Amino acid sequence: MTIALYDLVGADETRPFSPHCWKTAFTLAHKGLDFRSVPVRFTQIAGIEAGEFRTVPVIRDGERALTDSFQIALYLEETYPDRPSLFAGEGGRSLSRFIEKWAQTALVGYIGPSLLLEIHAALEPADQAYFRESREKRFGRTLEETAKGREDRLEGFRASLAPLRLMLSDQPFIGGQGPLFADYIVAGIFQWARVISPFQLLSPDDPVAAWFGRCLDLHDGLGRTVPAAA
């Protein structure tokens, strides 16, 4: 049975951009599970599965529907134990929890504000109004004020990646010789930026950029099915 993945999109339904939805897409592909993307916009999320959920990703797997990318990963690991593991044991689960919290602060803390205007531009008018109101309430200032100065902060962001960079200088993936869910947590965030904006977060010679390229090539090039923003 094909799993349905409710996938956040803007005006162009062929360009899903949510980091959490991409994380789940990579997760499903890692497990070798057939899935189809169901495009939804910000203002349509409340109508998913008869209004049961308020955030994406959401998956529908037979009789089961659930949300939250980490909970989805845990569910898939438990439900399909005969397929490639997302965690390679309890230690991998703990590693993934750490990576999730680190990524939220070290990555999303810079990338999220930096992409606000380009996300807004990619949305339909009704979603633009929702996005502006909700994000300006969250940040306490306008989208323009929040996004301003990203170029000035870029060097500091790149420097903050030193621990990840050093790890990836010694091994091809965060998970070791092959990817685990921890890789998809981080790759989903960089894919978010790649799909929504041409702003270059990483220098081409950065080991993190090489790792991200390997992630995009995984699962028959799943990450490259959506071209980078021009």
Side-chain angles (χ1 to χ4, degrees):
M1 182 179 296
T2 300
I3 295 173
L5 166 62
Y6 291 92
D7 217 349
L8 184 65
V9 299
D12 185 345
E13 291 189 352
T14 68
R15 299 185 64 80
F17 62 86
S18 162
H20 307 297
C21 292
W22 272 107
K23 193 189 313 179
T24 297
F26 287 134
T27 298
L28 289 163
H30 182 99
K31 280 290 189 182
L33 296 165
D34 292 332
F35 70 96
R36 62 184 178 89
S37 177
V38 181
V40 293
R41 297 183 171 90
F42 276 113
T43 52
Q44 296 173 332
I45 292 174
I48 292 174
E49 295 287 331
E52 184 178 352
F53 302 103
R54 291 293 179 267
T55 61
V56 288
V58 171
I59 67 165
R60 161 64 68 178
D61 183 19
E63 297 299 314
R64 184 75 184 273
L66 66 158
T67 190
D68 184 274
S69 57
F70 209 109
Q71 292 305 312
I72 290 170
L74 293 174
Y75 162 79
L76 295 175
E77 188 79 344
E78 180 179 345
T79 306
Y80 301 98
D82 57 325
R83 294 174 178 266
S85 177
L86 291 160
F87 302 104
E90 188 61 33
R93 297 187 187 211
S94 298
L95 165 68
S96 296
R97 283 296 188 191
F98 169 77
I99 292 296
E100 180 185 52
K101 303 307 182 186
W102 171 81
Q104 189 65 32
T105 53
L107 303 184
V108 176
Y110 170 77
I111 296 173
S114 297
L115 300 181
L116 286 173
L117 293 178
E118 284 141 319
I119 295 172
H120 182 266
L123 305 177
E124 290 192 330
D127 291 300
Q128 286 181 330
Y130 160 80
F131 185 79
R132 179 174 287 277
E133 180 181 0
S134 62
R135 271 46 179 185
E136 290 185 351
K137 181 179 180 180
R138 177 184 301 177
F139 289 105
R141 52 184 184 266
T142 66
L143 300 184
E144 290 77 9
E145 290 169 333
T146 304
K148 186 178 180 180
R150 67 181 182 181
E151 294 83 1
D152 299 331
R153 299 189 297 273
L154 180 59
E155 184 177 349
F157 168 73
R158 290 178 173 177
S160 74
L161 300 178
L164 180 60
R165 186 174 298 117
L166 290 170
M167 168 187 275
L168 294 171
S169 296
D170 293 331
Q171 60 192 56
F173 293 98
I174 298 171
Q177 294 305 304
L180 293 175
F181 185 61
D183 288 272
Y184 304 136
I185 291 171
V186 181
I189 294 170
F190 281 108
Q191 178 74 330
W192 173 36
R194 174 182 172 271
V195 169
I196 211 70
S197 171
F199 184 57
Q200 294 299 306
L201 291 171
L202 303 169
S203 61
D205 61 348
D206 192 328
V208 179
W211 159 83
F212 181 49
R214 290 191 291 273
C215 290
L216 293 177
D217 291 334
L218 291 168
H219 316 307
D220 298 321
L222 173 64
R224 297 192 190 277
T225 56
V226 178

